[in-house]
Amino acid sequence: MTLQRGSDFISLIEYVFPPRCVFCNEILTAGVPIYICGKCAKKIGYYNNCINSLNLPGNMETYCDGMICVGRYSGGLKSSLKRFKFNSKPSYYRAFGKLLALKVQNTIHSEKIDMVVPVPLYRYKQKLRGYNQAELIAKYAAEQLKLPFAGGVLVKTSESKSQSALNRNERLINVEGLFKVIKAESISDKNILLVDDIITTGSTVNQSSKALKLAGASRIIAGVIATTRNY
């Protein structure tokens, strides 16, 4: 049974177990549309509602057609994403999925997107973590945007070294050729919102986009929560 936010049952749960801000842990009012308090929401370093380029270095071919990002990877947004990703806080997906959906709605018309696809984790890593944070964000954002969610269409075929331990040039080649598409016919000529939590060099998103493009996708816009880049 799927429970929609705003239902009487969800409201009752939140009344008994009040939601908390994913940034500062402050108790929030039951039924709030997003699990972020007003003070923390104002501190996010939001980016403009526009589509930015990945700006890959040198002559590297770019397969992603642009990026929509909520804000800069700093402050409360950074610490909250780290908890979500590394400290077993899967419930944070609601806040981040809502943030991304709002950013997309304020940037492009959703009818120009045919489906939402998450950047995948290698299956062993996902088993260890217990969830794929990008998948949780993507699924909730798709619900908010009323778009099809295509989880499992894009897969990661093997594990790569942790991107956080590598320099910029190493990151750019670390994930080459690690992604493939299952059931290519499902994405043929489709405009895709490709969702990930954080973009640094853009290598993971670009290689994911490459696999999607080679399988027949038409246009790919990356939707991310945060980036270390300045825009």
Side-chain angles (χ1 to χ4, degrees):
M1 179 179 177
T2 300
L3 296 173
Q4 300 297 321
R5 286 205 47 75
S7 70
D8 291 339
F9 189 53
I10 286 289
S11 297
L12 178 59
I13 290 176
E14 291 186 351
Y15 180 77
V16 178
F17 303 101
R20 291 178 178 272
C21 173
V22 299
F23 286 11
C24 69
N25 208 39
E26 178 182 323
I27 294 177
L28 304 173
T29 303
V32 292
I34 187 167
Y35 292 170
I36 301 175
C37 72
K39 290 181 180 179
C40 290
K42 291 178 181 178
K43 293 178 181 179
I44 295 175
Y46 296 104
Y47 284 126
N48 292 331
N49 299 328
C50 61
I51 297 176
N52 296 294
S53 169
L54 283 185
N55 292 327
L56 295 178
N59 297 318
M60 294 192 68
E61 187 169 1
T62 303
Y63 296 91
C64 182
D65 298 292
M67 176 186 74
I68 295 172
C69 180
V70 173
R72 179 156 183 78
Y73 187 58
S74 63
L77 187 59
K78 178 179 179 178
S79 58
S80 184
L81 279 169
K82 281 187 172 182
R83 289 194 299 274
F84 175 46
K85 192 170 184 176
F86 301 116
N87 290 60
S88 298
K89 296 291 184 180
S91 62
Y92 283 21
Y93 77 87
R94 297 183 186 89
F96 293 128
K98 183 71 172 182
L99 278 175
L100 181 58
L102 290 171
K103 179 61 70 171
V104 171
Q105 288 172 333
N106 289 325
T107 305
I108 56 177
H109 295 295
S110 59
E111 61 265 23
K112 293 183 179 180
I113 302 172
D114 296 308
M115 61 176 61
V116 180
V117 174
V119 169
L121 280 178
Y122 183 52
R123 59 183 180 275
Y124 179 69
K125 188 170 184 178
Q126 182 166 337
K127 184 178 180 180
L128 287 178
R129 184 173 295 171
Y131 55 94
N132 174 3
Q133 70 282 354
E135 184 176 51
L136 295 179
I137 294 171
K139 188 173 184 178
Y140 195 71
E143 291 177 6
Q144 298 295 305
L145 295 167
K146 295 180 173 57
L147 291 170
F149 170 71
V153 166
L154 182 67
V155 298
K156 192 173 183 182
T157 57
S158 61
E159 185 56 287
S160 55
K161 294 180 181 179
S162 174
Q163 291 285 78
S164 61
L166 305 176
N167 63 39
R168 179 178 176 81
N169 290 333
E170 290 172 334
R171 289 186 182 199
L172 291 170
I173 63 174
N174 185 45
V175 291
E176 286 185 3
L178 296 185
F179 300 94
K180 74 174 183 178
V181 170
I182 306 298
K183 296 182 179 179
E185 65 275 9
S186 66
I187 66 163
S188 180
D189 298 320
K190 301 297 185 182
N191 296 324
I192 294 172
L193 179 69
L194 177 65
V195 174
D196 205 358
D197 55 344
I198 304 163
I199 278 186
T200 51
T201 61
S203 54
T204 298
V205 160
N206 196 51
Q207 288 298 313
S208 296
S209 298
K210 180 179 180 179
L212 292 167
K213 284 283 182 74
L214 291 177
S218 178
R219 189 165 186 259
I220 300 167
I221 299 296
V224 302
I225 304 302
T227 180
T228 57
R229 301 177 176 193
N230 291 313
Y231 285 106

